[in-house]
Amino acid sequence: VRSGPWLRFDLGGGAFALPLESVAEVTAAPRPRLIPLVPLELAGVVRFRGEPLPVLDGGALLVARPLERSRHLIVLERGGLRLGMRVGEVSRIEADLRGAVDLDDGEPRPELADWVLFRGRPLGLLRPDELIARARELFQQRSEGGGASCHGAF
Amino acid sequence: LRIALSHKFALAFFATAVVGAGLPQLLAAAGLPAWNAFPVVLLAGAWLGWAYARRLTANFLSLRNCAESISCGDLTGEVDISGGRRFPDETVDLARAVGAMLQSLRELVEHLQRAADDVARASREAAGSTQALDTTSQSLARAMDGLLSGAVDEQRDAEHIANRMREIAVALRANADAAGEAAASAADVNQRAKSGVTVSRRSSARLQTLFGEIEQAAALAQVFDERIRSAQRVTEMIFSVVEKAHLLSLNASIEAARAGDAGRGFGVVAEEIRKLAEGAGSSAEQIEQLVGALESETRRLCAANGAIGNAARESRDEVEGVFRSLEQLQFAVEESSKRSDSIERQARAQAAGAEELVGDAERVAALVGEGVKTADEMRRGLASQAQAVQELVEQAARLADMSVQLEKVARRFRTR
């Protein structure tokens, strides 16, 4: 997991990283169109390269607090599927995570592979596949009418 | 025909002797015994003695009755001198003298009674008059006491008024001096006000120039603020370019990483672009900070200039108002100086008049003091007079008593 380059970004005061191989592009975060009655983790849909792109709210998903300000949108691409995730700010590309020390957070989550201590601060390593699966699950919850916290305005 | 009493006695004796001597011859001639002559002579002598004594004592009895009446106060009686009226003698003379004395005494008593009445009436009137005089004298003494007390109060008031007038004169003199100093100060202030108006004219012109320059500075600051805003917009464009360059470098790095070894050169270019973007971003941040600082300072400068401009515009009117006020103030000060001169003259005239009033008041106080002395002397004189009147009243009362007694005594004599 820790081999290869990683895209490091900041999110709600914490630092996270995605494998660079799953990242298609980084762009300025546009304002997404909200989708009615979907959980808060789904920020909405944006038009990206002429096509609709579902967008996750990284804050609501990873730190349980929707982002108030988002500078960048990370476009994940996996198996022909594309998913956008609003983050605070993309920091840089890390060539590898050598020197990272494992941290025991005691609460395993599917989309969060591991917590490591990198360059003196905690860094959450994400699983792109799980993120896409999570987005799919959230859309399914919307179609089934479930979800505790939704964009009730629509 | 007046026959003296001794002659009457001699005649009676002679007649008795003739009767005694001739009667025996007559009896004898008549044929009667001679011894009959003796009793006849005795009887004739007794009868003659008795008749003569009666005739002689009738006037004495009348005189005694008259004397008794007089002793009883009755002067109305008359002396009866019927006896001896044909041949008056010394008893008739005595009776006539007593009658004349009675008449004189009657007239005297009547005169005395009238005098006693007059004295009693006069003494009563005198007692009433002296009583009234005593009352009047006492009233006069009390009035004099009141007058003296009033005169003393008046003297005290006059002295108090004189002192007050003296203080007022001193105060008026000080007031006149103060008015003189005020007039001098007002003249000095007037001169200074004129100089102030002249200086304020020059200052007003300079302030007008300064206000114009302040407004120009405010306009320049506004222009500078617009330029700063333009620089901010340029900075925002630089940030946008830097952001795009940053994204471009990120995406280029991503593509290079995906390309593996084939994209390594591209990755180097992307890294250079990233560094360039970071440098540009850093410079843009510095520029932003500078522009921000400039904007902040410019905003403060504009705010200050705006406030200064507003203050200048307001101050321009205020300066005009102050200048007009100064002119009015100078005019008022000039008027005040003239009035101060007038006040000084009037104050000095008042002080001189007050000093004259002080002299008058002192003279009045002296006159009142003389009046007090005179009143005191009059009071003492009136006291002596009242005492004398009191004694006079007592004497009049005693005189009235005596006149009453005299009237009583005089009334004891009845003349009619």
Side-chain angles (χ1 to χ4, degrees), chain A residues 34-111:
Chain A
L34 298 179
I35 302 172
L37 300 176
V38 297
L40 292 175
E41 289 86 346
L42 283 175
V45 177
V46 300
R47 182 172 293 280
F48 182 72
R49 309 292 183 200
E51 293 180 356
L53 176 68
V55 176
L56 287 174
D57 187 321
L61 184 66
L62 299 175
V63 298
R65 188 169 64 248
L67 292 173
E68 294 179 356
R69 289 187 61 203
S70 174
R71 184 179 174 187
H72 291 147
L73 176 69
I74 299 174
V75 181
L76 300 176
E77 187 175 25
R78 203 72 171 173
L81 293 177
R82 283 189 168 184
L83 177 65
M85 185 170 69
R86 299 174 71 220
V87 298
E89 182 181 7
V90 174
S91 303
R92 61 177 296 162
I93 294 172
E94 300 292 346
D96 52 46
L97 296 179
R98 292 174 187 170
V101 179
D102 288 340
L103 292 174
D104 182 14
D105 66 343
E107 186 180 354
R109 297 173 61 181
E111 60 275 12

Coordinates of all heavy atoms in Angstrom, one line a residue, chain A residues 34-111:
Chain A
L34 N -26.7 20.4 -6.1 CA -27.2 19.5 -5.0 C -28.2 18.5 -5.5 O -29.0 18.8 -6.4 CB -27.8 20.3 -3.9 CG -26.8 21.3 -3.2 CD1 -27.5 22.1 -2.1 CD2 -25.6 20.6 -2.6
I35 N -28.2 17.3 -5.0 CA -29.1 16.2 -5.3 C -30.1 16.1 -4.1 O -29.6 15.9 -3.0 CB -28.4 14.9 -5.6 CG1 -27.4 15.1 -6.8 CG2 -29.4 13.8 -6.0 CD1 -26.5 13.9 -7.0
P36 N -31.4 16.2 -4.4 CA -32.3 16.1 -3.3 C -32.3 14.8 -2.6 O -32.1 13.8 -3.3 CB -33.7 16.4 -3.9 CG -33.4 17.0 -5.2 CD -32.1 16.5 -5.7
L37 N -32.5 14.8 -1.3 CA -32.7 13.6 -0.5 C -31.6 12.6 -0.6 O -31.8 11.4 -0.6 CB -34.0 13.0 -0.9 CG -35.3 13.8 -0.7 CD1 -36.5 13.1 -1.2 CD2 -35.4 14.2 0.7
V38 N -30.4 13.1 -0.7 CA -29.2 12.2 -0.6 C -28.5 12.5 0.7 O -28.6 13.6 1.2 CB -28.3 12.4 -1.8 CG1 -29.0 12.0 -3.1 CG2 -27.8 13.8 -1.9
P39 N -27.7 11.6 1.2 CA -27.0 11.8 2.4 C -25.9 13.0 2.2 O -25.6 13.3 1.1 CB -26.3 10.5 2.7 CG -27.1 9.5 2.0 CD -27.6 10.1 0.8
L40 N -25.5 13.5 3.3 CA -24.6 14.7 3.3 C -23.3 14.3 2.7 O -22.5 15.2 2.2 CB -24.4 15.3 4.7 CG -25.7 16.0 5.3 CD1 -25.4 16.4 6.7 CD2 -26.1 17.2 4.4
E41 N -22.9 13.0 2.8 CA -21.6 12.6 2.2 C -21.6 12.9 0.7 O -20.5 13.0 0.1 CB -21.4 11.2 2.5 CG -21.0 10.9 4.0 CD -22.3 10.7 4.8 OE1 -23.4 11.0 4.3 OE2 -22.2 10.2 5.9
L42 N -22.7 12.9 0.0 CA -22.8 13.1 -1.4 C -23.0 14.6 -1.6 O -24.1 15.2 -1.3 CB -24.0 12.4 -2.0 CG -23.7 10.9 -2.3 CD1 -25.0 10.2 -2.8 CD2 -22.6 10.7 -3.3
A43 N -22.0 15.3 -2.1 CA -22.0 16.8 -2.2 C -22.9 17.2 -3.4 O -23.5 18.3 -3.4 CB -20.6 17.3 -2.4
G44 N -23.0 16.3 -4.4 CA -23.9 16.6 -5.6 C -23.2 16.2 -6.9 O -22.5 15.2 -6.9
V45 N -23.5 16.9 -7.9 CA -23.1 16.5 -9.2 C -22.5 17.8 -9.9 O -23.0 18.8 -9.8 CB -24.2 15.9 -10.1 CG1 -23.7 15.6 -11.5 CG2 -24.8 14.7 -9.5
V46 N -21.3 17.6 -10.5 CA -20.7 18.7 -11.3 C -20.5 18.2 -12.8 O -20.5 17.0 -13.0 CB -19.3 19.1 -10.7 CG1 -19.5 19.6 -9.3 CG2 -18.3 18.0 -10.8
R47 N -20.5 19.3 -13.6 CA -20.2 18.9 -15.0 C -18.7 18.9 -15.2 O -18.0 20.0 -15.0 CB -20.8 20.0 -15.9 CG -20.6 19.7 -17.4 CD -21.5 20.6 -18.2 NE -22.9 20.4 -18.1 CZ -23.6 19.4 -18.7 NH1 -22.9 18.6 -19.6 NH2 -24.8 19.2 -18.5
F48 N -18.1 17.8 -15.6 CA -16.7 17.7 -15.7 C -16.4 17.1 -17.1 O -16.9 16.0 -17.5 CB -16.2 16.7 -14.7 CG -14.7 16.5 -14.7 CD1 -13.8 17.5 -14.3 CD2 -14.1 15.3 -15.2 CE1 -12.4 17.3 -14.4 CE2 -12.8 15.2 -15.2 CZ -11.9 16.2 -14.8
R49 N -15.7 17.9 -17.9 CA -15.4 17.5 -19.3 C -16.6 17.2 -20.1 O -16.7 16.3 -20.9 CB -14.4 16.3 -19.3 CG -13.2 16.4 -18.5 CD -12.2 17.4 -19.0 NE -11.0 17.4 -18.2 CZ -10.1 18.4 -18.1 NH1 -10.4 19.6 -18.8 NH2 -9.1 18.4 -17.4
G50 N -17.7 17.9 -19.8 CA -18.9 17.7 -20.5 C -19.8 16.6 -20.0 O -20.8 16.3 -20.6
E51 N -19.4 16.0 -19.0 CA -20.2 14.8 -18.5 C -20.5 15.1 -17.0 O -19.7 15.7 -16.3 CB -19.4 13.5 -18.6 CG -19.2 13.1 -20.1 CD -18.4 11.8 -20.2 OE1 -18.0 11.3 -19.1 OE2 -18.2 11.3 -21.3
P52 N -21.6 14.5 -16.5 CA -21.9 14.7 -15.1 C -20.9 13.8 -14.2 O -20.6 12.7 -14.6 CB -23.3 14.2 -14.9 CG -23.5 13.3 -16.1 CD -22.7 13.8 -17.3
L53 N -20.5 14.4 -13.1 CA -19.6 13.7 -12.2 C -20.2 13.7 -10.8 O -20.3 14.8 -10.3 CB -18.2 14.3 -12.3 CG -17.2 13.8 -11.4 CD1 -16.7 12.4 -11.8 CD2 -15.9 14.7 -11.3
P54 N -20.5 12.6 -10.2 CA -20.9 12.6 -8.8 C -19.7 13.0 -7.9 O -18.6 12.6 -8.2 CB -21.3 11.2 -8.5 CG -20.7 10.4 -9.6 CD -20.4 11.2 -10.8
V55 N -20.1 13.7 -6.9 CA -19.0 14.3 -6.0 C -19.3 14.0 -4.6 O -20.4 14.1 -4.1 CB -18.9 15.8 -6.2 CG1 -17.9 16.4 -5.2 CG2 -18.6 16.2 -7.6
L56 N -18.3 13.4 -3.9 CA -18.4 13.2 -2.5 C -17.9 14.4 -1.7 O -17.0 15.1 -2.2 CB -17.5 12.0 -2.1 CG -18.0 10.6 -2.5 CD1 -16.9 9.6 -2.2 CD2 -19.3 10.2 -1.8
D57 N -18.5 14.6 -0.5 CA -18.0 15.6 0.4 C -17.0 15.0 1.3 O -17.4 14.2 2.1 CB -19.1 16.3 1.2 CG -18.6 17.5 2.0 OD1 -17.5 17.4 2.5 OD2 -19.4 18.5 2.0
G58 N -15.7 15.2 1.0 CA -14.6 14.5 1.8 C -14.8 14.8 3.3 O -14.5 14.0 4.1
G59 N -15.2 16.0 3.6 CA -15.3 16.4 5.1 C -16.4 15.5 5.7 O -16.2 15.0 6.8
A60 N -17.6 15.5 5.1 CA -18.7 14.7 5.7 C -18.3 13.2 5.7 O -18.8 12.5 6.7 CB -20.0 14.9 4.9
L61 N -17.6 12.8 4.7 CA -17.3 11.3 4.7 C -16.2 10.9 5.7 O -16.3 9.9 6.3 CB -16.8 11.0 3.2 CG -16.6 9.5 3.0 CD1 -17.9 8.7 3.1 CD2 -15.9 9.3 1.6
L62 N -15.1 11.8 5.8 CA -14.0 11.3 6.5 C -13.8 11.9 7.9 O -13.3 11.3 8.8 CB -12.7 11.7 5.7 CG -12.6 11.0 4.3 CD1 -11.4 11.5 3.5 CD2 -12.5 9.5 4.5
V63 N -14.3 13.2 8.1 CA -14.2 13.8 9.4 C -15.6 14.1 10.0 O -15.7 14.9 11.0 CB -13.3 15.0 9.4 CG1 -11.9 14.7 9.0 CG2 -13.9 16.1 8.5
A64 N -16.6 13.6 9.3 CA -18.0 13.8 9.8 C -18.4 15.3 10.0 O -19.2 15.6 10.9 CB -18.2 13.1 11.2
R65 N -17.8 16.1 9.1 CA -18.2 17.5 9.1 C -18.1 18.1 7.7 O -17.0 18.1 7.1 CB -17.2 18.3 10.0 CG -17.6 19.7 10.3 CD -16.8 20.4 11.4 NE -15.4 20.5 11.0 CZ -14.4 19.8 11.6 NH1 -14.7 19.0 12.6 NH2 -13.2 20.0 11.2
P66 N -19.3 18.4 7.1 CA -19.3 18.9 5.8 C -18.3 20.1 5.6 O -18.2 21.0 6.5 CB -20.7 19.3 5.5 CG -21.5 18.5 6.5 CD -20.7 18.4 7.7
L67 N -17.7 20.2 4.5 CA -16.7 21.2 4.2 C -17.4 22.6 4.0 O -18.4 22.6 3.2 CB -15.8 20.9 3.0 CG -14.9 19.7 3.2 CD1 -14.2 19.4 1.8 CD2 -13.8 20.1 4.2
E68 N -17.0 23.6 4.6 CA -17.5 24.9 4.3 C -16.8 25.5 3.1 O -17.4 26.2 2.3 CB -17.4 25.8 5.5 CG -18.2 25.3 6.7 CD -18.0 26.2 7.9 OE1 -17.2 27.1 7.8 OE2 -18.7 26.0 8.9
R69 N -15.5 25.3 3.1 CA -14.7 25.8 1.9 C -13.9 24.7 1.3 O -13.3 23.9 2.1 CB -13.8 26.9 2.4 CG -14.5 28.2 2.7 CD -13.4 29.2 3.0 NE -12.6 29.5 1.8 CZ -11.4 30.0 1.8 NH1 -10.8 30.3 2.9 NH2 -10.7 30.1 0.6
S70 N -14.0 24.6 0.0 CA -13.2 23.6 -0.7 C -12.5 24.2 -1.8 O -13.1 25.0 -2.6 CB -14.2 22.5 -1.2 OG -13.5 21.6 -2.0
R71 N -11.2 24.0 -1.9 CA -10.4 24.6 -3.0 C -10.2 23.7 -4.2 O -10.3 24.1 -5.3 CB -9.0 25.0 -2.4 CG -8.1 25.7 -3.4 CD -6.8 26.1 -2.7 NE -5.9 26.7 -3.7 CZ -4.6 26.9 -3.5 NH1 -4.1 26.6 -2.3 NH2 -3.8 27.5 -4.4
H72 N -10.0 22.4 -3.9 CA -9.7 21.5 -5.0 C -10.8 20.3 -5.0 O -11.3 20.0 -4.0 CB -8.3 20.9 -4.8 CG -7.3 21.9 -5.1 ND1 -6.0 21.9 -4.4 CD2 -7.2 23.0 -5.9 CE1 -5.3 22.9 -4.8 NE2 -6.0 23.6 -5.7
L73 N -10.9 19.8 -6.2 CA -11.7 18.6 -6.4 C -10.8 17.5 -7.1 O -10.2 17.7 -8.1 CB -12.9 18.9 -7.4 CG -13.8 17.7 -7.8 CD1 -14.6 17.3 -6.7 CD2 -14.6 18.1 -9.0
I74 N -10.8 16.4 -6.3 CA -9.9 15.3 -6.8 C -10.9 14.3 -7.6 O -11.9 13.9 -7.1 CB -9.3 14.5 -5.7 CG1 -8.3 15.5 -4.9 CG2 -8.5 13.3 -6.2 CD1 -7.8 14.9 -3.6
V75 N -10.5 14.1 -8.9 CA -11.2 13.1 -9.7 C -10.6 11.8 -9.6 O -9.4 11.6 -10.1 CB -11.3 13.7 -11.2 CG1 -12.2 12.7 -12.0 CG2 -11.9 15.1 -11.2
L76 N -11.4 10.8 -9.1 CA -10.9 9.4 -9.0 C -11.3 8.7 -10.2 O -12.5 8.9 -10.7 CB -11.4 8.8 -7.7 CG -11.0 9.4 -6.4 CD1 -11.6 8.7 -5.2 CD2 -9.5 9.4 -6.2
E77 N -10.5 7.8 -10.7 CA -10.9 7.0 -11.8 C -10.5 5.5 -11.5 O -9.3 5.3 -11.2 CB -10.3 7.5 -13.1 CG -10.8 6.7 -14.3 CD -10.2 7.3 -15.6 OE1 -9.1 7.9 -15.5 OE2 -10.8 7.2 -16.6
R78 N -11.5 4.6 -11.5 CA -11.2 3.3 -11.2 C -12.1 2.3 -12.0 O -13.3 2.4 -11.9 CB -11.5 3.1 -9.7 CG -10.8 1.9 -9.0 CD -9.3 2.3 -8.9 NE -8.6 1.2 -8.1 CZ -7.3 1.2 -7.9 NH1 -6.6 2.1 -8.5 NH2 -6.8 0.2 -7.2
G79 N -11.5 1.6 -12.8 CA -12.3 0.6 -13.6 C -13.3 1.3 -14.5 O -14.5 0.8 -14.6
G80 N -13.0 2.4 -15.0 CA -13.9 3.1 -15.9 C -14.9 4.0 -15.2 O -15.7 4.7 -15.9
L81 N -14.9 3.9 -13.9 CA -15.8 4.8 -13.1 C -15.0 6.0 -12.6 O -13.9 5.9 -12.2 CB -16.3 4.0 -11.9 CG -17.3 2.8 -12.3 CD1 -17.7 2.1 -11.0 CD2 -18.5 3.4 -13.0
R82 N -15.7 7.1 -12.7 CA -15.1 8.4 -12.2 C -15.9 8.9 -11.0 O -17.2 8.9 -11.0 CB -15.1 9.4 -13.3 CG -13.9 9.2 -14.3 CD -13.8 10.3 -15.2 NE -12.6 10.2 -16.0 CZ -12.1 11.2 -16.8 NH1 -12.9 12.3 -17.0 NH2 -11.0 11.0 -17.5
L83 N -15.2 9.4 -10.0 CA -15.9 9.9 -8.8 C -15.1 11.2 -8.4 O -13.9 11.1 -8.3 CB -15.9 8.9 -7.7 CG -16.5 9.4 -6.4 CD1 -17.9 9.7 -6.5 CD2 -16.2 8.3 -5.3
G84 N -15.8 12.2 -8.1 CA -15.2 13.4 -7.6 C -15.2 13.5 -6.1 O -16.2 13.1 -5.5
M85 N -14.2 14.1 -5.5 CA -14.2 14.3 -4.0 C -13.7 15.7 -3.7 O -12.6 16.0 -4.0 CB -13.4 13.2 -3.3 CG -13.5 13.3 -1.8 SD -12.8 11.9 -0.9 CE -11.1 12.2 -1.2
R86 N -14.6 16.4 -3.0 CA -14.1 17.8 -2.6 C -13.2 17.7 -1.4 O -13.6 17.0 -0.4 CB -15.3 18.6 -2.3 CG -16.3 18.8 -3.5 CD -17.5 19.6 -3.0 NE -17.2 21.0 -2.7 CZ -17.8 21.6 -1.7 NH1 -18.6 21.0 -0.8 NH2 -17.5 22.9 -1.5
V87 N -12.1 18.3 -1.5 CA -11.2 18.3 -0.4 C -10.8 19.8 -0.1 O -11.2 20.7 -0.9 CB -9.9 17.5 -0.7 CG1 -10.2 16.1 -1.0 CG2 -9.2 18.1 -1.9
G88 N -10.1 20.0 1.0 CA -9.8 21.3 1.4 C -8.7 21.9 0.4 O -9.0 22.8 -0.3
E89 N -7.6 21.2 0.3 CA -6.6 21.7 -0.6 C -5.6 20.5 -0.8 O -5.2 19.8 0.1 CB -5.8 22.9 0.1 CG -4.7 23.4 -0.8 CD -4.0 24.6 -0.2 OE1 -4.2 24.8 1.1 OE2 -3.2 25.2 -0.8
V90 N -5.2 20.3 -2.1 CA -4.3 19.3 -2.4 C -2.9 19.9 -2.1 O -2.5 21.0 -2.6 CB -4.4 18.9 -3.9 CG1 -3.2 18.0 -4.3 CG2 -5.7 18.3 -4.2
S91 N -2.1 19.1 -1.3 CA -0.8 19.7 -0.9 C 0.3 19.4 -1.9 O 0.8 20.3 -2.5 CB -0.4 19.0 0.4 OG -1.4 19.2 1.4
R92 N 0.5 18.2 -2.1 CA 1.6 17.8 -3.1 C 1.5 16.3 -3.4 O 0.7 15.6 -2.8 CB 2.9 18.2 -2.5 CG 3.2 17.5 -1.2 CD 4.6 17.8 -0.7 NE 5.6 17.3 -1.7 CZ 6.8 17.8 -1.7 NH1 7.2 18.7 -0.9 NH2 7.7 17.3 -2.6
I93 N 2.4 15.9 -4.2 CA 2.5 14.5 -4.6 C 3.7 14.0 -3.8 O 4.8 14.5 -3.9 CB 2.7 14.3 -6.1 CG1 1.4 14.7 -6.8 CG2 3.1 12.8 -6.4 CD1 1.6 14.8 -8.3
E94 N 3.5 12.9 -3.0 CA 4.6 12.3 -2.3 C 5.0 11.1 -3.1 O 4.2 10.2 -3.5 CB 4.1 11.8 -0.9 CG 3.6 12.9 0.0 CD 4.7 13.9 0.4 OE1 5.9 13.6 0.2 OE2 4.3 15.0 0.9
A95 N 6.3 11.1 -3.4 CA 6.8 9.9 -4.2 C 6.6 8.6 -3.5 O 6.3 7.6 -4.1 CB 8.3 10.2 -4.5
D96 N 6.8 8.6 -2.2 CA 6.6 7.4 -1.5 C 6.4 7.8 0.0 O 6.5 9.0 0.3 CB 7.7 6.3 -1.6 CG 9.0 7.0 -1.3 OD1 9.1 7.7 -0.3 OD2 10.0 6.8 -2.1
L97 N 6.0 6.8 0.8 CA 5.7 7.1 2.2 C 6.8 6.5 3.1 O 6.5 5.9 4.2 CB 4.3 6.7 2.6 CG 3.2 7.4 1.9 CD1 1.9 6.8 2.3 CD2 3.2 8.9 2.1
R98 N 8.0 6.5 2.6 CA 9.0 5.9 3.4 C 9.2 6.7 4.7 O 9.2 7.9 4.7 CB 10.4 5.9 2.7 CG 10.4 4.9 1.5 CD 11.7 5.0 0.7 NE 11.6 4.2 -0.5 CZ 12.5 4.3 -1.5 NH1 13.5 5.2 -1.4 NH2 12.3 3.5 -2.5
G99 N 9.4 6.0 5.8 CA 9.5 6.6 7.1 C 8.2 6.8 7.8 O 8.2 7.3 9.0
A100 N 7.1 6.5 7.2 CA 5.8 6.6 7.9 C 5.7 5.5 8.9 O 6.1 4.4 8.8 CB 4.7 6.5 6.9
V101 N 5.2 5.9 10.1 CA 5.0 5.0 11.2 C 3.5 4.7 11.4 O 2.7 5.7 11.4 CB 5.6 5.6 12.5 CG1 5.4 4.7 13.7 CG2 7.1 6.0 12.3
D102 N 3.2 3.4 11.6 CA 1.8 3.1 11.7 C 1.3 3.7 13.0 O 2.0 3.7 14.1 CB 1.7 1.6 11.8 CG 1.9 1.0 10.4 OD1 1.7 1.7 9.4 OD2 2.2 -0.2 10.3
L103 N 0.0 4.0 13.0 CA -0.7 4.5 14.2 C -1.9 3.6 14.4 O -2.5 3.1 13.4 CB -1.2 5.9 14.0 CG -0.1 7.0 13.9 CD1 -0.7 8.4 13.6 CD2 0.7 7.1 15.2
D104 N -2.2 3.4 15.6 CA -3.3 2.5 16.0 C -4.5 3.4 16.4 O -4.5 4.0 17.5 CB -2.9 1.6 17.1 CG -4.1 0.6 17.5 OD1 -5.0 0.5 16.6 OD2 -4.0 0.0 18.5
D105 N -5.4 3.6 15.5 CA -6.6 4.5 15.8 C -7.7 3.7 16.5 O -8.6 4.3 17.0 CB -7.1 5.2 14.6 CG -7.7 4.3 13.6 OD1 -7.4 3.1 13.7 OD2 -8.4 4.8 12.7
G106 N -7.6 2.4 16.3 CA -8.6 1.5 17.0 C -10.0 1.5 16.4 O -10.9 0.9 17.0
E107 N -10.2 2.1 15.3 CA -11.5 2.1 14.7 C -11.4 1.9 13.2 O -11.2 2.9 12.4 CB -12.3 3.4 15.0 CG -13.7 3.3 14.5 CD -14.4 4.7 14.8 OE1 -13.8 5.5 15.4 OE2 -15.6 4.8 14.3
P108 N -11.3 0.7 12.8 CA -11.2 0.4 11.3 C -12.4 0.8 10.5 O -13.5 0.7 10.9 CB -11.0 -1.1 11.3 CG -11.6 -1.6 12.5 CD -11.5 -0.6 13.5
R109 N -12.1 1.5 9.4 CA -13.2 1.9 8.5 C -12.8 1.4 7.1 O -11.6 1.3 6.7 CB -13.3 3.4 8.5 CG -13.7 4.0 9.8 CD -13.6 5.5 9.9 NE -14.5 6.0 8.9 CZ -14.7 7.4 8.8 NH1 -13.9 8.2 9.5 NH2 -15.5 7.8 7.9
P110 N -13.8 1.1 6.3 CA -13.5 0.4 5.0 C -12.7 1.3 4.1 O -11.8 0.9 3.4 CB -14.9 0.2 4.4 CG -15.9 0.2 5.5 CD -15.3 1.1 6.6
E111 N -13.1 2.7 4.0 CA -12.5 3.5 3.0 C -11.1 4.0 3.6 O -10.4 4.6 2.8 CB -13.3 4.7 2.7 CG -13.7 5.6 3.9 CD -14.9 5.1 4.6 OE1 -15.4 4.0 4.4 OE2 -15.4 5.9 5.5

